[in-house]
Amino acid sequence: MLIAKPRSTDLANAAPTEEPLPVIGAEEIEPRFRAVVGRGGERRGIRLERIYWDGLGRMSSAGKMTTSDLVHYTASQMPESGNLASLLRVLSLKWALRRLDAVEDVASMANLNAVIQASPSPTILLTQDKKIHLFNDPFLSMLRQRLPLGDTAQLTRSLRFSIDTQIEQAITTLNLNRGKTLNTGFSIGVGTQSMRGQVNLALAPTHEKSMLIGYISRY
């Protein structure tokens, strides 16, 4: 079984973009009291910040259980000298981190490369700074067919790629229309030669930074 290696016009990985830290509102840090009644009628009064109640709610929905059942489960694991509210905070964060790990694994650059390599049509990964970060063999075959210049390294090094729609605008449009694609024109130039065609753009399923997958539909 042949595993395709990532193809990239960028020899060095781009520096990771810095994500701004979230702003914390005053109402978010104020503990909220709730009375939780278990199946046996046992009543527990719990004070937690809103974000933890939100986390427990998402855990309950994912596990198809009530928040009361979740609190009862947590209480059953609590040592005699333990604090139920603290244990619920730890459980909520641990569940969120486990979900984050799973999402980041699925949305990794390695998996994204596999999606691009599996496409039978010429396909690229386009960064927000207008660079082709990954491409597949059909894309390279298209270039060799239409722009027969030198070896692969020379071809990709001098490649100029642009789309008729501003990349920032394309990303904004696709973010506002989740599940949709955007068709636009493109142009490729190498030296004095050039070609035009149509490309279908979709948001790349990656958490690292905003990128577009481009499926060449006509050239």
Side-chain angles (χ1 to χ4, degrees), residues 34-105:
R34 289 188 187 180
V36 179
V37 181
R39 291 181 179 178
E42 184 179 3
R43 184 184 178 92
R44 292 186 175 92
I46 302 171
R47 291 173 65 85
L48 291 174
E49 292 77 13
R50 188 180 72 184
I51 192 169
Y52 292 111
W53 284 120
D54 292 344
L56 293 175
R58 295 185 67 169
M59 289 176 64
S60 300
S61 297
K64 294 180 171 51
M65 63 177 69
T66 65
T67 301
S68 295
D69 289 337
L70 186 59
V71 170
H72 177 75
Y73 161 79
T74 306
S76 68
Q77 300 188 67
M78 186 174 62
E80 291 185 7
S81 59
N83 181 285
L84 181 58
S86 295
L87 200 59
L88 287 169
R89 290 186 182 95
V90 171
L91 181 67
S92 179
L93 180 58
K94 188 172 182 178
W95 181 85
L97 290 176
R98 187 172 64 183
R99 279 232 161 172
L100 179 61
D101 287 341
V103 170
E104 289 189 346
D105 182 58

Side-chain angles (χ1 to χ4, degrees), residues 72-208:
H72 177 75
Y73 161 79
T74 306
S76 68
Q77 300 188 67
M78 186 174 62
E80 291 185 7
S81 59
N83 181 285
L84 181 58
S86 295
L87 200 59
L88 287 169
R89 290 186 182 95
V90 171
L91 181 67
S92 179
L93 180 58
K94 188 172 182 178
W95 181 85
L97 290 176
R98 187 172 64 183
R99 279 232 161 172
L100 179 61
D101 287 341
V103 170
E104 289 189 346
D105 182 58
V106 171
S108 67
M109 193 60 66
N111 279 343
L112 184 53
N113 175 63
V115 169
I116 291 172
Q117 299 303 327
S119 173
S121 64
T123 305
I124 60 173
L125 178 65
L126 195 60
T127 65
Q128 198 164 1
D129 54 357
K130 306 175 185 178
K131 294 181 180 179
I132 297 177
H133 188 63
L134 297 172
F135 57 86
N136 62 0
D137 286 328
F139 180 79
L140 185 58
S141 297
M142 177 193 72
L143 294 182
R144 286 172 173 163
Q145 176 188 349
R146 296 295 299 273
L147 305 170
L149 284 176
D151 58 18
T152 301
Q154 178 186 356
L155 188 64
T156 57
R157 187 168 53 247
S158 58
L159 185 71
R160 302 184 307 275
F161 183 90
S162 63
I163 58 175
D164 295 349
T165 305
Q166 290 289 333
I167 291 181
E168 295 82 0
Q169 182 60 44
I171 291 174
T172 299
T173 299
L174 291 170
N175 271 315
L176 292 173
N177 298 275
R178 292 285 179 168
K180 303 294 185 180
T181 60
L182 177 65
N183 184 268
T184 188
F186 75 88
S187 62
I188 298 176
V190 178
T192 60
Q193 300 189 66
S194 63
M195 61 174 287
R196 286 192 57 80
Q198 293 290 121
V199 59
N200 287 320
L201 301 174
L203 286 176
T206 177
H207 63 89
E208 296 184 14

